[in-house]
Amino acid sequence: VRSELAATGFGGDKGIFGFGVHSGSELGVTNLVSNSGVVASDVSAVGTARRMVAATNYGGDKAIFGFGRTSSNVATTNLVNNSGVVGSDVSGVGTGRYGSAAAGYSFSA
C-alpha cells in the first residue's frame, strides 16, 4: 500500500506504477501491469526512493519517471525501456520539484 506514486503506459500496451510513500517513508518500488490488467508483485526500483513523482510515456513504447521529493525536492529522472526495466538515476536534469504533471509525446522518438 502506498500513496503519492506515479503511473504511466509503456511497451505500447502495458503499464507501470512507481515510487510513492508508505507510513512516512519514500519507496523505490515499481509494479508492472500486463496488457490483460494483471498487476505484478513489487519490484525494487533502481532509482532513488521518492514521492510525488511525475511519469509519462514517450516514443510509442518507452516511459520516464521524473522529479519528486525525498527530504527535499529532487531533479532526478529514470527511463523505462519497452520491457518495463527502470534505468539508473539521471540527476540534475532541471530544477528539483514535486507534484509535477506530465504528458506523452512522439510515436517515434
Side-chain angles (χ1 to χ4, degrees):
V1 176
R2 63 191 190 263
S3 62
E4 302 178 22
L5 65 156
T8 187
F10 76 94
D13 64 351
K14 292 172 276 307
I16 186 170
F17 292 95
F19 303 94
V21 64
H22 175 71
S23 298
S25 296
E26 287 83 13
L27 301 172
V29 173
T30 59
N31 301 90
L32 300 180
V33 183
S34 74
N35 61 3
S36 61
V38 176
V39 179
S41 299
D42 289 352
V43 174
S44 293
V46 173
T48 299
R50 57 197 191 271
R51 66 175 80 191
M52 301 187 82
V53 177
T56 190
N57 62 314
Y58 74 95
D61 64 351
K62 294 170 280 302
I64 186 171
F65 288 100
F67 304 96
R69 183 156 181 86
T70 58
S71 58
S72 62
N73 298 345
V74 295
T76 302
T77 59
N78 302 88
L79 299 180
V80 180
N81 71 18
N82 60 7
S83 298
V85 176
V86 179
S88 300
D89 287 352
V90 177
S91 298
V93 293
T95 302
R97 58 188 172 268
Y98 67 95
S100 301
Y105 69 93
S106 180
F107 289 110
S108 59

